Amino acid sequence: MGPHHHSRRESLCSSLLAPRPDYHDSDPDLVWPFGKLEGIDRDEVRETTYEIFFTACRSSPGFGGRNALVFYSNHQDNNNNNNNSNSNGGEGSGSGLGSKVNGVVTTPTSRVKRALGLKMLKRSPSRRMTSGAGNGGWSSPSSPNGSNSSGSPGMSYTLPPSRPRRPMTSAEIMRQQMRVTEGSDNRLRKTLMRTLVGQMGRRAETIILPLELLRHLKPSEFNDSHEYHYWQKRQLKILEAGLLLHPSIRLDKSNTFALRLREIIRAGDTKAIDTGKNSDTMRTLCNSVVSLSWRSSNGTPTDVCHWADGYPLNIHLYVALLQSVFDIRDETLVLDEVDELLELMKKTWSTLGITRPIHNVCFTWVLFQQYVQTAQIEPDLLCAAHAMLAEVANNAKRPDREALYVKILSSVLSSMQGWAEKKLLRYHDYFQRGTVGQIENLLPLALSSSKILGEDVTITERGGGVKGDIKVVDNSGDRVDCYIRSSMKQAFAKIMEAGNVIEVAEDAVTDTLFQLAQETEELALKERESFSPILKRWHTIAAGVAAVTLHNCYGAVLKQYLNGVSTLSGETVEILQRAGKLEKVLLQMVVEDSAECEDGGKAIVREMVPYEVDTIIMNLLKRWIHERLKRGKECVHRAKESETWNPKSKSEPYAQSAEELVKLAKETVDDFFEIPVGITEDIVQDLADGLEHLFKEYTSFVASCGSKQSYIPTLPPLTRCNRDSKFLKLWKKASPCSIGAEGFHPNGTNDGHHPRPSTSRGTQRLYIRLNTLHYLLPHLYSLEKNLSLSPRIIPSTPRSRSAKNRKSHSNASSYFEFAVSGIQSACQHVSEVAAYRLIFLDSNSVFYESLYVGDVANARIRPALRIIKQNLTLLGAILTDKAQALAIKEVMKASFEAFLMVLVAGGSSRVFYRTYHEMIQEDFDSLKRVFCTCGEGLIAKDVVEHEAETAEGVMELMGQCTEQLVEDFSIVTCEKSGIGVVGSGQRLPMPPTTGRWNRSDPNTILRVLCHRNDKAANQFLKRTFQLAKRR
């Protein structure tokens, strides 16, 4: 077979054996636990591994040995140690290998696959055939001609019909599995034949394979110099890794052999080194390699060669060897011949420094890694890895563990656990409805790994960050609890990110939070239906924990939103109500899931911080009421600062501030009932109380206009009046002609025959206050109706209303009864003040200062009546209809009061004779008629008569004789003072001035006597009280 033919076959094989992705980087989430080999790629490791494997198995059938090997197990029956004892290879064979002929397993029944729960492929070796000869096929070690594996992917050949097909040997299977070309295999066989001439009993661990290959293979055995150089550099890099970079025995930096070997390796980077027999470089290489390989830790001679047993080189090589057990036609499947292949792989342990515990760890890793690399589509591989962890756990408990084993164990388990926990901490991202069942296989592996690693472990929720690290005790329930909480948080965060819920305090978030609540509820239901039934095997309240986690997550978002809410709105209420619905769903999940707990689920329920939707709504509603009432207080404050009591217009004769307050109150009530929440009587009462307080405060402000006492003139001192007093003489002398009533106007209030009203601007402003109070009343009644008759009010329970409200409103028949009562009292007060101001200030010059001054006949009441009528006309023009009756009545009462003061407190300018009684009565009757005829029956006649009774009684005293007045005074004074009858030598006490004039009041009778100009009155007053004469 010429070189051209060899080249063609190797090229064909190389093209069909395309390299797989590098297992170091195939899955970024799975960390390679054994460190990296700098400068050595996967193919180089694989090729070197095959060379070591083939060398170790050279004496086995199919590798060049003549006798078949039988591997015994501790569980084998001693009677079944002959390979031919069971020709069918059934499961009755203790070895589980079936019958073997010349290194071929005819009917394998794998004990390993059965122990790991892996399915048999049901492809007997008779179906994995190779031809006796072929072009470009796999070469059989027993035949110089190549053989072809009909099962290799993409390889289809036309086989000569005369050549029979036969089952593949273990050597052929391994060469096919490890993707070794025929040329490489032939070169390896030649090297071994040359090396072991006369040394067939030499142990594999004493052979420095790369050195032997460099010695015996020449450039002429390769297709070209480039291929040879590449091959040579691989051998040198393996020697560098095993002897210099990762030696099993520590190497001094100053070691001469190491320095020489490093120089040769560097020289071989640019061009191939001369490996001829006479080459100095080759001699130096051989001396250096041999010296470094045969070192011992203590310097004593050793029978073991150390060139490939340093970590991590040995593990890289051994893992590459273990990976060959996966069928290259379907890498999710393990070959049925795995038992025999693993037995053959044991022959490399002495060369690679592998022990049974290390093998178990590496095989566990290979199974797990294969599961990850094949897109996790074969759960049997994961289950097999978990089954191997049982063996690993047993090895890990041994007290004589080596340091290297502990390091490898920790790295492998940490990598497996890290990958598994990354999936479990976010299982919502990695497992969908069709793949949820994988959790059932992955979770036990994660828990077993953590248990082997140790009791205290740290779980990182967000992939290596400092934040989010949670220290938990290695308890299955605790770890699963952490997985659930973390995954729910991540799933919730993903929903928020998808919904762009970044700043929930922004405007227009109603739809966003609604959608978030809906998707959170769907997530909870998905968890309960899909994941919780599986997780419940390790955590009794898995669904409850998930619900609590989601509840707290949404609660945090809701709290953030509420922090930005200053007052209640319809949107806020809708969000809160939706949150309340979500809370009920989640709480129901917790209750149902924790029904069988010892504490009835109390502990998990306590983790749920209640949303308290009803309380929040109520507090926001109260805050809303407070804000509206605050605006009302500001309105009242502005009125106090700036109100001038000028009417808004003729058609609106009231204060503008009142209109603003009423408008605000009406809007508040309307907006209040627009809020989509259950309105209870209690909260309505709170609103009504606040509004009532505003109106009461405003009413007090309106009514703060002084008092009538400030307008009543000071009472003059009591004096006795004598006939022909100096005052009268002077008066008559100064007024020789009689002065009529019409001619006496000290203040000039008479303008010819057209007297003008004397109502001042201040009195008119009082009228505006009165209009304002009457403006408030109907609007209060309207607000009362809106609050009382709203269909949205929910009746309160008898005990729900606070004691304060019950106490303050127990006697009230309406929400604003006290405010209405206050307005009515204010109307009375303002009307009274306005009336006294009008009579005693505005009309003082024509009434109290002029009436009956000097002489009754010449100072009658007619001028005053004209002014009063004009003032009443102006009053009617300013006041609203509802305010006029009370105002005119108060003017009438003030007029009667002024008339009485003229009679009993008119001072020294007024003198009355008994004969003046008729004129005075006539004037008073005229005054009464003014009010009886004012308006259209605004004041009924009987009301006028009732109010006039006091004045009528005083005028009756003026019609009595002086003796009768003295007698009545004495009797009344004695009765009032309680002294009974005045004896001889006793004097009557001076009666106090009460200001309440009345015919039975001793002070009133005394004042009538003081104004009586006759001798008897003069003497009585002088004798009894020593009153001075008028000057």
Side-chain angles (χ1 to χ4, degrees), residues 265-292:
I265 293 173
R266 295 293 173 265
D269 285 340
T270 56
K271 65 177 181 178
I273 63 174
D274 182 8
T275 59
K277 293 181 180 181
N278 299 323
S279 170
D280 292 337
T281 301
M282 191 62 192
R283 280 196 295 269
T284 304
L285 176 66
C286 289
N287 292 335
S288 299
V289 170
V290 170
S291 298
L292 292 173

Side-chain angles (χ1 to χ4, degrees), residues 298-311:
N298 53 9
T300 60
T302 178
D303 59 348
V304 179
C305 180
H306 302 282
W307 69 272
D309 56 350
Y311 180 83

Side-chain angles (χ1 to χ4, degrees), residues 527-602:
E527 176 74 16
R528 183 178 63 181
E529 295 173 2
S530 302
F531 296 99
S532 296
I534 296 174
L535 298 173
K536 197 174 183 67
R537 302 176 190 176
W538 293 272
H539 198 301
T540 55
I541 51 173
V545 170
V548 168
T549 303
L550 286 179
H551 181 272
N552 293 338
C553 287
Y554 191 84
V557 177
L558 183 65
K559 182 179 180 181
Q560 181 185 352
Y561 166 75
L562 292 176
N563 287 339
V565 174
S566 58
T567 186
L568 190 64
S569 64
E571 293 78 6
T572 301
V573 172
E574 292 177 2
I575 290 173
L576 286 169
Q577 290 175 341
R578 184 62 184 86
K581 179 183 176 183
L582 173 63
E583 183 174 46
K584 290 179 180 178
V585 172
L586 297 177
L587 182 60
Q588 184 63 26
M589 281 182 59
V590 174
V591 172
E592 292 177 355
D593 198 51
S594 58
E596 299 178 359
C597 292
E598 294 181 359
D599 63 348
K602 294 180 181 179

Side-chain angles (χ1 to χ4, degrees), residues 618-883:
M618 188 57 61
N619 290 337
L620 286 174
L621 189 56
K622 290 180 179 179
R623 189 190 303 177
W624 182 91
I625 293 174
H626 175 76
E627 291 294 329
R628 289 303 184 96
L629 295 178
K630 183 179 179 182
R631 289 164 57 183
K633 290 180 180 179
E634 293 172 354
C635 179
V636 174
H637 179 73
R638 286 195 304 271
K640 291 179 179 180
E641 294 291 330
S642 60
E643 186 56 68
T644 60
W645 303 112
N646 290 318
K648 185 176 180 181
S649 64
K650 289 184 178 180
S651 60
E652 298 174 337
Y654 44 79
Q656 186 173 355
S657 59
E659 184 179 26
E660 293 176 0
L661 180 61
V662 167
K663 181 181 179 181
L664 187 145
K666 186 177 184 303
E667 289 178 352
T668 298
V669 173
D670 293 343
D671 294 345
F672 177 73
F673 286 115
E674 289 296 325
I675 299 174
V677 297
I679 306 291
T680 63
E681 290 181 352
D682 291 346
I683 200 68
V684 173
Q685 187 66 61
D686 290 341
L687 175 62
D689 290 346
L691 292 175
E692 186 177 47
H693 178 76
L694 289 179
F695 282 106
K696 287 170 68 176
E697 184 179 357
Y698 186 78
T699 299
S700 298
F701 164 63
V702 176
S704 60
C705 56
S707 66
K708 68 177 184 179
Q709 300 300 329
S710 60
Y711 299 106
I712 297 177
T714 305
L715 296 179
L718 292 175
T719 58
R720 54 191 175 89
C721 180
N722 58 309
R723 298 182 66 184
D724 298 325
S725 65
K726 291 181 180 180
F727 175 79
L728 289 175
K729 290 178 182 179
L730 291 173
W731 182 271
K732 291 178 181 179
K733 186 180 294 187
S735 305
C737 59
S738 56
I739 302 174
E742 289 84 352
F744 186 78
H745 298 291
N747 292 332
T749 57
N750 188 18
D751 186 13
H753 296 286
H754 302 283
R756 59 180 181 271
S758 62
T759 305
S760 65
R761 297 290 295 178
T763 305
Q764 293 180 36
R765 292 190 182 98
L766 290 176
Y767 292 162
I768 301 303
R769 289 177 184 252
L770 195 57
N771 282 343
T772 300
L773 293 171
H774 280 276
Y775 169 79
L776 295 177
L777 282 174
H779 290 288
L780 275 180
Y781 294 140
S782 176
L783 291 175
E784 168 73 29
K785 183 178 179 181
N786 291 341
L787 289 175
S788 302
L789 302 180
S790 174
R792 298 205 48 227
I793 299 178
I794 302 173
S796 299
T797 58
R799 297 183 180 181
S800 64
R801 185 169 297 178
S802 65
K804 178 181 177 181
N805 285 338
R806 286 199 301 269
K807 181 178 179 180
S808 61
H809 293 279
S810 57
N811 298 322
S813 59
S814 68
Y815 290 115
F816 301 113
E817 182 170 345
F818 296 126
V820 170
S821 176
I823 292 175
Q824 292 172 345
S825 298
C827 289
Q828 177 69 37
H829 174 72
V830 175
S831 297
E832 187 178 68
V833 173
Y836 274 73
R837 179 185 173 90
L838 178 67
I839 298 301
F840 287 98
L841 182 64
D842 299 344
S843 304
N844 187 55
S845 61
V846 294
F847 205 148
Y848 180 73
E849 289 185 359
S850 302
L851 184 62
Y852 302 148
V853 172
D855 182 35
V856 173
N858 295 319
R860 300 287 291 274
I861 201 172
R862 184 175 299 173
L865 294 180
R866 289 181 183 177
I867 297 301
I868 290 175
K869 289 179 179 178
Q870 292 295 332
N871 287 338
L872 291 176
T873 301
L874 180 60
L875 180 150
I878 296 176
L879 288 179
T880 59
D881 294 343
K882 292 183 179 180

Side-chain angles (χ1 to χ4, degrees), residues 344-451:
L344 292 172
M345 291 175 192
K346 287 175 61 177
K347 293 180 177 292
T348 66
W349 287 9
S350 57
T351 301
L352 299 177
I354 303 298
T355 62
R356 170 64 67 180
I358 292 178
H359 162 80
N360 288 339
V361 173
C362 292
F363 194 42
T364 302
W365 166 256
V366 167
L367 291 169
F368 181 76
Q369 182 197 41
Q370 194 71 10
Y371 167 74
V372 175
Q373 286 185 338
T374 53
Q376 306 146 50
I377 61 175
E378 181 50 73
D380 284 354
L381 292 175
L382 187 62
C383 295
H386 180 241
M388 280 301 301
L389 281 178
E391 292 294 327
V392 171
N394 291 332
N395 298 145
K397 295 176 183 178
R398 295 173 57 180
D400 57 343
R401 297 178 300 176
E402 297 178 355
L404 178 60
Y405 167 73
V406 173
K407 180 179 181 180
I408 295 172
L409 174 67
S410 178
S411 297
V412 168
L413 293 182
S414 296
S415 179
M416 292 171 59
Q417 183 189 24
W419 185 90
E421 288 198 334
K422 182 167 186 179
K423 301 295 184 289
L424 293 172
L425 289 168
R426 304 181 65 133
Y427 58 76
H428 278 273
D429 292 343
Y430 292 100
F431 303 101
Q432 305 304 322
R433 293 190 182 275
T435 59
V436 171
Q438 295 183 17
I439 296 179
E440 189 173 5
N441 300 320
L442 184 62
L443 185 56
L445 182 136
L447 296 177
S448 297
S449 298
S450 64
K451 184 176 181 181

